[in-house]
Structure formats: structure tokens, C-alpha cells
Amino acid sequence: MICAILAVFAVAAPFDKVALIDDLDYAHMPWPHDIETKEGVEAVVRNALKCGATRVFWRSQQGALPRYPNVGEARPFPENPIDKRRAACTSRRDSYGAWVNYTTGNVRTIATAAAYCREQGVGFGLHYPIEHNHFNLFFFSGWNFDRPEYWCKLGSGAPWPGRVSHAYPEVRRHAASMILESIRDFEGGVFYCDTFRSGAWTPAFEHVAPVEARWRELHPGEPVPSDGEEWCKVVAEFENRWYRGLSRLARQKGREFWLTIDFVRPDGSDHTFRARGFEWEKLLAEGALDAVVVASMLPDKKDIWGSTERAYRAI
């Protein structure tokens, strides 16, 4: 189990300790707990609570492929013997055969973990990564690959096969439907959107028709840049809209909406805008965020702890 404890800056309370649960269904990992069973899932949560967690967030998916019964990505793509979207089973230590698909096997780890957290009086949430196909190596999305008209592109026109852009309303609708499927198995709690796990995406890959058309509206006659500050401002219009929509979706379903910021410097400034293409300060000022999660720090190497504390206080 990978169990990361994060310090979280929330609007209501100053700190929380959140255990992020992931990597429980690798074929080659000799975990002692079988998460296809109620007992196995509960044992995993108990391990997290030993770390002092006040909340437990369960990872919803790898890339675009989910760890819960779903419709949108039910078609396996591709077949891969170490594909994490298949649940662990008792035969996993002997072979890579006889694996159970989360959808066909109806394995509801999220519901089981959420119910146990409720029994223990511990907060629960879903850990949703924004990556769509995980560095384009594995965990591909069949839906994405079937729709090249939505693929991301570089300024050169080179496409990113399988990576789709939130600038298209069809992509946003599909992603929203997947999220609704993922949060149906627990009440209340948190929907945590993890932008640190971007799958190598940056605003430089957003040279798709809607974004370039918006650039030309704002900068008539100017050439479209491949990247840079001004390009990021245009991309941010689309990304901000996407995160506002996620916030509305989560809150309509009774969940808090938490969002990651990245690459924080000792003075409290960060690289989120250039690296992830959205403006978290604006979203916070609009009331769209219930908490901000610091996923990575760039501390002063001569004063690791002091500079980290100053950065957190600045935020």
C-alpha cells in the first residue's frame, strides 16, 4: 500500500491528515490483503489509520481506467497482464491469469472502504487523478482512443493519441459521467481532484480547435504561440471552467471539492498556472474550493523545514 499523509489547508479547519490509498491491485505486489473481500479492504484502511490519518481517500482509477463498476470504460483496452484496473485475487501470487475486471466482477472497493471509515468515525473521500492515459504507457482509455477528433495536440500539430482535451464539451460530459459513477458508492465526504498526477500533460498540449479559436479572438492577427504565459491564460479559461464544473458536480452530490496546487516555492508562490493551466487563487476567491492541497514543495535546501513552514503559512 502507498499511504501518503498530506497536510491540507481547508477553509473551516486549519489542518487535516489524509491517507491516500493506492497501488493495492498490482499483479506483482505481494500484498497480504485481498481487496476483493470486505475483510481485505477493511485491513487496508486499518493500516492507514495507524499512520494517524483523520481521513482516508481511495484512489478511483489509473489513467482513464476505473477501479469501480462502470459503463463508460467497460471495454478493456488493451489487455495487459499487469493492468492495475483488474482487481487482485487469490491466484495473483502464482500467475497473472484469472484476474477479475472491476465492472464484470462487480468489485465495490469504494463502497466497502467508505462504509468502514464511517463505522470508525473517519472521514472518507475519493482521490481522482486528472491523468487520462498515464504518460501514454499503459492504462489506456478505450473511449479516448475511439475519438481522435478530441485528442490533444502540440503547437506543431503533432497529436497525443489517446489524450483528450477538456476544451471539448463532449469530453467534459464523458468525464463527468465517469466521476458520477465513482462517487455513487459513498455519501458526503470529499471529492479530491489531484492535478499533480497529470500524466505529463501541460498547457503546451492544448493546441486544439476551441483553444486556438479563442486565442485568435483575443489576439487577432498574432501568431499562435507554442507555449508561454499568454498561451496559458487562454488555456486557463477552459481549465478554470472545467474545475468550476467539477466543484458544482461534487457539491450537488453533497461532497466537498478539494484541488491540488503544485511546485510551491518558499515565498508561497507556485508553478500551478504554467504547469497545470488553471488559476487556483481565482477559483478560491470565487468560492469554488473547499480546500487546497499542496502536492509538492521546492524548499530552500539550506533551510528545508523553515522554508516549508513559511511557504505553507503564505498559502
Side-chain angles (χ1 to χ4, degrees):
M1 175 180 67
I2 289 181
C3 178
I5 302 295
L6 302 182
V8 178
F9 293 88
V11 173
F15 287 102
D16 247 318
K17 289 180 286 185
V18 183
L20 304 182
I21 308 296
D22 189 16
D23 292 344
L24 297 173
D25 45 7
Y26 269 124
H28 61 284
M29 293 292 189
W31 304 127
H33 309 304
D34 184 350
I35 63 166
E36 288 181 30
T37 67
K38 178 176 182 289
E39 295 76 17
V41 171
E42 291 179 354
V44 168
V45 174
R46 283 196 296 273
N47 285 343
L49 299 184
K50 290 177 183 177
C51 300
T54 57
R55 300 182 190 243
V56 170
F57 287 2
W58 199 274
R59 182 79 167 267
S60 63
Q61 62 201 78
Q62 289 296 320
L65 294 175
R67 289 170 158 167
Y68 53 87
N70 74 98
V71 175
E73 288 289 350
R75 177 168 75 89
F77 191 95
E79 290 293 340
N80 186 327
I82 60 169
D83 195 337
K84 281 166 60 175
R85 67 186 155 81
R86 296 187 182 281
C89 62
T90 54
S91 64
R92 68 189 184 280
R93 298 177 185 83
D94 303 319
S95 72
Y96 290 141
W99 285 62
V100 179
N101 182 283
Y102 278 99
T103 295
T104 59
N106 196 31
V107 180
R108 309 195 85 92
T109 58
I110 294 172
T112 305
Y116 187 66
C117 285
R118 188 166 56 250
E119 291 175 11
Q120 300 300 312
V122 176
F124 183 79
L126 204 67
H127 176 199
Y128 171 77
I130 66 166
E131 62 196 1
H132 281 210
N133 51 347
H134 210 62
F135 290 88
N136 212 14
L137 293 177
F138 43 86
F139 314 134
F140 292 137
S141 160
W143 191 93
N144 291 2
F145 268 94
D146 286 344
R147 293 162 176 81
E149 65 271 26
Y150 304 140
W151 288 354
C152 291
K153 295 179 182 179
L154 288 170
S156 64
W160 185 342
R163 182 73 190 229
V164 292
S165 170
H166 288 139
Y168 295 103
E170 296 84 356
V171 172
R172 296 196 298 273
R173 282 195 293 269
H174 171 68
S177 71
M178 295 284 290
I179 290 167
L180 285 171
E181 285 187 315
S182 71
I183 65 176
R184 67 188 168 190
D185 278 345
F186 68 99
E187 297 296 328
V190 173
F191 178 71
Y192 166 42
C193 187
D194 182 359
T195 64
F196 180 77
R197 289 170 171 82
S198 72
W201 178 92
T202 73
F205 288 97
E206 282 298 298
H207 284 270
V208 295
V211 183
E212 290 201 342
R214 179 59 175 157
W215 170 271
R216 294 187 178 96
E217 286 180 17
L218 296 172
H219 305 275
E222 295 185 28
V224 179
S226 59
D227 198 4
E229 193 82 8
E230 293 303 313
W231 175 251
C232 288
K233 290 179 182 178
V234 179
V235 173
E237 292 188 18
F238 294 86
E239 293 300 305
N240 289 348
R241 179 172 61 188
W242 167 239
Y243 293 118
R244 289 188 192 103
L246 287 188
S247 176
R248 287 194 299 270
L249 182 153
R251 289 170 172 182
Q252 285 169 3
K253 296 299 180 180
R255 279 75 172 173
E256 294 181 8
F257 182 61
W258 294 15
L259 192 62
T260 292
I261 63 174
D262 297 309
F263 311 114
V264 175
R265 305 180 185 94
D267 64 357
S269 63
D270 64 279
H271 198 56
T272 306
F273 173 66
R274 289 297 307 273
R276 301 294 180 259
F278 66 91
E279 298 165 297
W280 70 269
E281 298 98 327
K282 180 178 290 187
L283 295 172
L284 188 65
E286 294 170 357
L289 307 181
D290 294 296
V292 172
V293 178
V294 177
S296 56
M297 270 289 302
L298 300 173
D300 181 346
K301 293 181 180 180
K302 296 180 180 179
D303 183 17
I304 299 291
W305 292 109
S307 62
T308 299
E309 181 180 3
R310 289 193 296 276
Y312 275 40
R313 291 189 182 281
I315 293 167

